[in-house]
Amino acid sequence: MSRIAVLSNVNMNFVIRMLGKEAEVYQAEGYGNELGTLMNPASSYHAFAPEYTFLIMDLMELLEHELEPETAKGKIQNWFGGLEAALKPEVIYYVSDAYLWGVELAAVFEPGRKAALEQLWQQELEELCRRHGNVRMLPYRHLIESMGETTAFSMKMWYMGKILLSNEAQKLLCGLILEKLKIETRTPKKLLVLDLDNTLWGGLAGENDITPIELSEDHTGLAYKNLQRVILQMQRQGVLLAIVSKNNEQDAMEILEHHPHMVLRGEAFAAKRINWQPKHENIRDIARELNLGTDSFVFWDDNPTERELIKEMLPEVAVPDFPDKPEKLAPAMVEIYKEYFAKSSITEEDRKKTAQYAANSARQELERKAGSFEDYLKQLEIVMTRVNPEKHMERLTQLVNKTNQFNLTTKRYTQGQMAEILQDEEKRVYLYSVADRFGDNGIVAAVIVNLGAIGAVSKRVGSGKTATDEGFLDLLGLQGCPVVEEFVMSCRVMGKNIEYAIMEDVEADLRESGYAFLRGMYLPTAKNQPVAELYDRLGYRRLEAEECGNAGKPESDGNVCGNTGKPESNGNVCGEPTGRVYEIELSKAPKRLHQVKVIREA
Amino acid sequence: MKEKVIALIEEALNVPAGTITENTLIADVEEWDSLAHVMIIGELEEKLGIVLPLEEAIELTGVKELFEKAGIE
């Protein structure tokens, strides 16, 4: 259960009581002192140490009914200034957007005053979210608007107990908070597989002479067009789309490219399989092409037989139900978005995703044309940039947490833990963006090195001994030398030997700092088989159990394990029978085959 | 209607059916604190359309009084 706090300037005790069934909730001491609670290091709030803090603010109370814009602006800026000063990097904050409500509003002459005051809040909140990756907006306003003022607010409950919202609205607010918690804690899906006939449009393609497909600006046709609008919005926020449809490709493409009411054009899709092959085979094929796991797929098809087939053949694919009426299509897709794809924040990477995958297809084309692999790499003109991880903490955390295949240790971190690592002098974090002649892939790889605690100094060149000296064997392990704790790379850029360039950069950096040895480890999971031999390919030496010192000391069950190989939090590594520790002497690291130009950003 | 009101109160207080009767006094039920009381008044309004004037709602002491004030037979 997540640990959460709900702070407010109105009575939220009922919401807190309801949330208690689903989460561990901080028992607020009254209400109206939210900033004091956040700022006071001795408060019971800090003792409780919530992972998520929800600030549900009533703008009218905050303004103390002062509706003059200049005075209001001062109060709002003060509040946000106080909040910003109290923010802690390890906590995720949700701050409600504004809905101004109060009896006197109806007597204000200017009709635009309410919106103008709300806008002051909105602007401050948006800026705060931009500056802090751990602050997000809670769409409280939408909740009130969709219910309507008369059902959302209750004057009587306000008079009785400073409870602003009706019971119904409080229940919906509770649901909204739980929905956000879910989004924070689950792994989002990546790709939506869509059928065409009776899914993206009504009717069957290729029968236009008899009956045209239903896709238009009115009636049922508009319901399909609206569905496409929802899907396009999802695509723009990083959801990849694919078509798997049984049609004559020419008929379908004719509609995709030329139908005046198609919202989703061909380029919106990262992959298309319009043929008569069984759908599960097409889906597997797409997974191979895009280098994605089918467990990140959602399949949507109007045909129940096809849905059953996929459930049977590919049980890891999510297969939501299909609505029975066209007018339910768009709302159903919104639910699918929330259930499987919605993320707590959208990064620049997400917005560019489909273009990046499309560029990948162009790269494959070049691979076919170029003669040797080396020529191909050369022609790609890959440029890799080491960027400042502190400036991209959100992406760093996202990358580490959602990468499954190219992930040597599969540790997961909260944003807060990542913030601590960035501050930790014993850790070095390397973050890379990669571009080539077909486009910018953005930030796609990260390495975290633990420099080792006490014995690190004796491992440095100049200690007069090398690490393989007998007396140093015990230092070799846990504290003896830097260890690569984390090495992840997005599957988008796999297969171009970029990992070689990355490790050469890390090795060079450590060498420059005086380290003589570097260790790495591979902890197998169901997904990371592709990197099982990575360190072998990089020229690292596999350590036998007895060589590892603390790092590789066999446990009673004979597994290679130890402090370096044991993630502090989830501790599931010891049970892995084939975890391996590797080592390289940095001065003897071989030159590897790659064609990557490396830039170190200041 | 009386049964409906009692069932609504029991649900809001999260107590077993049969706990609340016409003779129950608010002070005798541990779960019926001031927050729960506001909730019950809200639920009566939102779910059953039973509207008590503010002062009566605040000063209410028990179920029988509620029935009388709201005119529930």
Side-chain angles (χ1 to χ4, degrees):
Chain A
M1 277 215 265
S2 309
R3 298 167 65 79
I4 68 170
V6 178
L7 303 177
S8 179
N9 57 348
V10 299
N11 189 343
M12 281 290 156
N13 284 334
F14 179 40
V15 172
I16 291 170
R17 202 175 275 190
M18 283 192 288
L19 285 170
K21 292 169 199 150
E22 313 282 341
E24 224 178 304
V25 195
Y26 166 63
Q27 295 304 315
E29 294 163 353
Y31 49 88
N33 183 32
E34 67 289 340
L35 289 185
T37 305
L38 288 174
M39 283 185 217
N40 176 8
S43 71
S44 58
Y45 164 86
H46 287 289
F48 179 82
E51 301 162 87
Y52 304 96
T53 294
F54 292 83
L55 287 148
I56 319 286
M57 301 306 296
D58 176 50
L59 185 55
M60 186 60 93
E61 282 298 290
L62 190 121
L63 295 180
E64 299 172 278
H65 295 263
E66 181 52 72
L67 303 181
E68 288 308 312
E70 274 312 304
T71 328
K73 190 173 184 177
K75 285 181 191 283
I76 288 171
Q77 284 175 342
N78 267 347
W79 191 86
F80 275 98
L83 174 62
E84 186 163 22
L87 293 177
K88 297 203 164 264
E90 68 272 19
V91 181
I92 305 272
Y93 300 85
Y94 277 87
V95 182
S96 62
D97 52 6
Y99 192 98
L100 186 66
W101 185 72
V103 284
E104 70 269 48
L105 268 184
V108 172
F109 176 73
E110 300 93 328
R113 180 80 66 88
K114 173 173 178 291
L117 292 169
E118 288 168 347
Q119 188 52 34
L120 290 172
W121 178 272
Q122 201 66 15
Q123 212 174 328
E124 291 288 328
L125 179 52
E126 278 172 20
E127 275 167 29
L128 189 70
C129 292
R130 257 196 297 277
R131 282 198 298 272
H132 299 274
N134 57 332
V135 181
R136 326 212 194 287
M137 196 179 298
L138 186 77
Y140 166 77
R141 184 187 167 75
H142 179 254
L143 184 151
I144 307 293
E145 282 173 339
S146 59
M147 291 186 82
E149 280 185 359
T150 43
T151 37
F153 297 112
S154 163
M155 214 57 202
K156 184 175 289 172
M157 290 169 75
W158 178 244
Y159 288 142
M160 285 183 75
K162 282 283 160 87
I163 295 173
L164 182 70
L165 300 173
S166 68
N167 284 341
E168 193 52 34
Q170 293 186 73
K171 284 171 199 162
L172 288 179
L173 178 59
C174 202
L176 180 63
I177 289 172
L178 292 173
E179 181 190 313
K180 292 297 175 193
L181 276 181
K182 185 176 169 193
I183 288 172
E184 292 284 348
T185 48
R186 66 127 162 72
T187 309
K189 304 281 181 187
K190 292 176 181 164
L191 180 115
L192 175 61
V193 180
L194 293 158
D195 177 42
L196 293 177
D197 289 340
N198 286 318
T199 300
L200 286 190
W201 55 68
L204 307 176
E207 298 186 355
N208 336 26
D209 326 341
I210 313 150
T211 45
I213 63 157
E214 289 179 88
L215 185 65
S216 62
E217 267 301 330
D218 41 27
H219 305 144
T220 312
L222 181 55
Y224 285 101
K225 191 169 183 179
N226 269 343
L227 166 69
Q228 292 199 18
R229 287 178 169 136
V230 175
I231 297 173
L232 180 66
Q233 187 56 37
M234 290 162 60
Q235 189 261 354
R236 285 180 175 158
Q237 286 163 193
V239 175
L240 295 168
L241 306 178
I243 296 172
V244 172
S245 177
K246 289 179 177 166
N247 289 89
N248 284 321
E249 188 167 8
Q250 214 182 337
D251 296 338
M253 288 311 289
E254 177 63 27
I255 295 173
L256 276 169
E257 298 305 333
H258 302 297
H259 194 288
H261 292 290
M262 272 307 279
V263 176
L264 297 164
R265 294 292 179 194
E267 68 273 11
F269 297 92
K272 298 184 202 77
R273 293 292 182 278
I274 304 170
N275 55 39
W276 303 93
Q277 300 298 312
K279 292 206 172 186
H280 65 280
E281 287 177 14
N282 277 327
I283 289 174
R284 283 203 192 114
D285 207 37
I286 289 174
R288 266 193 300 275
E289 177 183 315
L290 299 179
N291 222 343
L292 292 169
T294 43
D295 60 350
S296 65
F297 287 16
V298 176
F299 177 77
W300 213 49
D301 194 311
D302 66 298
N303 185 338
T305 323
E306 298 289 5
R307 295 202 300 274
E308 281 313 306
L309 171 81
I310 300 305
K311 284 182 196 167
E312 180 72 24
M313 301 305 293
L314 302 168
E316 69 281 10
V317 173
V319 184
D321 290 340
F322 197 88
D324 54 359
K325 295 189 181 67
E327 65 269 31
K328 292 185 188 164
L329 287 168
M333 188 46 69
V334 171
E335 286 310 310
I336 288 172
Y337 173 69
K338 286 184 185 170
E339 174 74 20
Y340 299 106
F341 295 104
K343 296 180 185 174
S344 52
S345 56
I346 303 287
T347 61
E348 269 313 298
E349 310 293 325
D350 292 322
R351 296 187 209 282
K352 291 185 291 195
K353 197 158 265 178
T354 297
Q356 288 167 344
Y357 276 85
N360 250 347
S361 299
R363 285 181 197 102
Q364 284 179 2
E365 183 62 26
L366 176 62
E367 192 174 358
R368 277 193 287 276
K369 282 184 196 154
S372 75
F373 183 53
E374 200 172 354
D375 287 341
Y376 160 69
L377 291 179
K378 213 175 273 172
Q379 289 176 32
L380 276 177
E381 298 163 17
I382 304 169
V383 178
M384 180 175 92
T385 309
R386 193 209 291 172
V387 299
N388 182 349
E390 289 182 29
K391 287 189 189 155
H392 304 278
M393 191 170 90
E394 208 178 322
R395 172 61 183 157
L396 170 64
T397 313
Q398 188 191 44
L399 185 67
V400 168
N401 284 341
K402 70 178 205 179
T403 306
N404 293 318
Q405 294 185 53
F406 196 112
N407 191 335
L408 275 300
T409 53
T410 322
K411 294 191 205 176
R412 307 297 191 197
Y413 302 85
T414 64
Q415 192 99 358
Q417 288 167 325
M418 197 54 88
E420 280 169 28
I421 287 173
L422 288 172
Q423 297 304 317
D424 190 342
E425 287 183 4
E426 290 293 330
K427 305 270 169 104
R428 274 193 204 173
V429 180
Y430 302 85
L431 191 63
Y432 298 95
S433 71
V434 171
D436 65 21
R437 57 183 275 203
F438 294 106
D440 190 351
N441 279 293
I443 293 170
V444 287
V447 175
I448 300 175
V449 175
N450 186 343
L451 296 176
I454 305 153
V457 177
S458 46
K459 288 289 290 185
R460 296 194 178 192
V461 176
S463 68
K465 298 188 178 181
T466 67
T468 43
D469 281 0
E470 292 230 330
F472 276 81
L473 273 180
D474 53 338
L475 286 176
L476 247 175
L478 156 76
Q479 294 142 337
C481 81
V483 176
V484 177
E485 282 192 331
E486 190 69 57
F487 185 2
V488 300
M489 193 170 80
S490 164
C491 47
R492 295 208 290 270
V493 295
M494 276 166 69
K496 290 181 262 186
N497 289 9
I498 290 169
E499 59 272 30
Y500 292 173
I502 289 171
M503 281 315 280
E504 283 181 9
D505 183 56
V506 171
E507 289 163 356
D509 182 65
L510 292 169
R511 220 169 27 234
E512 285 160 23
S513 300
Y515 293 96
F517 287 83
L518 176 63
R519 286 188 169 195
M521 56 194 158
Y522 167 69
L523 306 175
T525 67
K527 301 258 184 83
N528 70 356
Q529 195 56 33
V531 291
E533 312 290 325
L534 176 72
Y535 283 110
D536 301 278
R537 286 192 282 120
L538 281 161
Y540 281 57
R541 189 171 66 90
R542 264 189 215 199
L543 297 187
E544 300 301 325
E546 58 271 19
E547 279 184 281
C548 298
N550 286 331
K553 194 180 285 173
E555 301 287 298
S556 51
D557 53 3
N559 296 334
V560 175
C561 181
N563 287 334
T564 44
K566 190 193 292 179
E568 306 78 65
S569 50
N570 51 13
N572 59 358
V573 175
C574 291
E576 298 290 349
T578 47
R580 292 192 294 268
V581 181
Y582 290 83
E583 186 179 81
I584 201 162
E585 191 172 346
L586 290 172
S587 61
K588 292 180 183 161
K591 176 84 186 110
R592 292 105 178 179
L593 169 71
H594 69 79
Q595 295 289 340
V596 180
K597 188 182 165 206
V598 183
I599 298 171
R600 289 184 182 183
E601 224 172 55
Chain B
M1 188 50 116
K2 282 185 178 175
E3 297 77 46
K4 273 193 188 167
V5 171
I6 285 176
L8 179 144
I9 293 171
E10 283 167 340
E11 200 194 325
L13 297 177
N14 198 17
V15 294
T19 313
I20 305 295
T21 67
E22 193 164 345
N23 296 317
T24 302
L25 292 178
I26 293 175
D28 295 339
V29 184
E30 195 191 332
E31 289 86 355
W32 201 328
D33 57 16
S34 58
L35 179 65
H37 186 59
V38 182
M39 269 199 55
I40 289 169
I41 298 299
E43 291 286 273
L44 286 171
E45 234 179 90
E46 290 173 39
K47 293 223 172 111
L48 301 179
I50 297 170
V51 182
L52 284 181
L54 179 63
E55 285 186 13
E56 290 178 8
I58 293 170
E59 286 162 12
L60 208 62
T61 57
V63 178
K64 190 174 283 170
E65 195 187 336
L66 167 65
F67 290 160
E68 286 164 10
K69 296 259 162 76
I72 298 168
E73 301 281 308

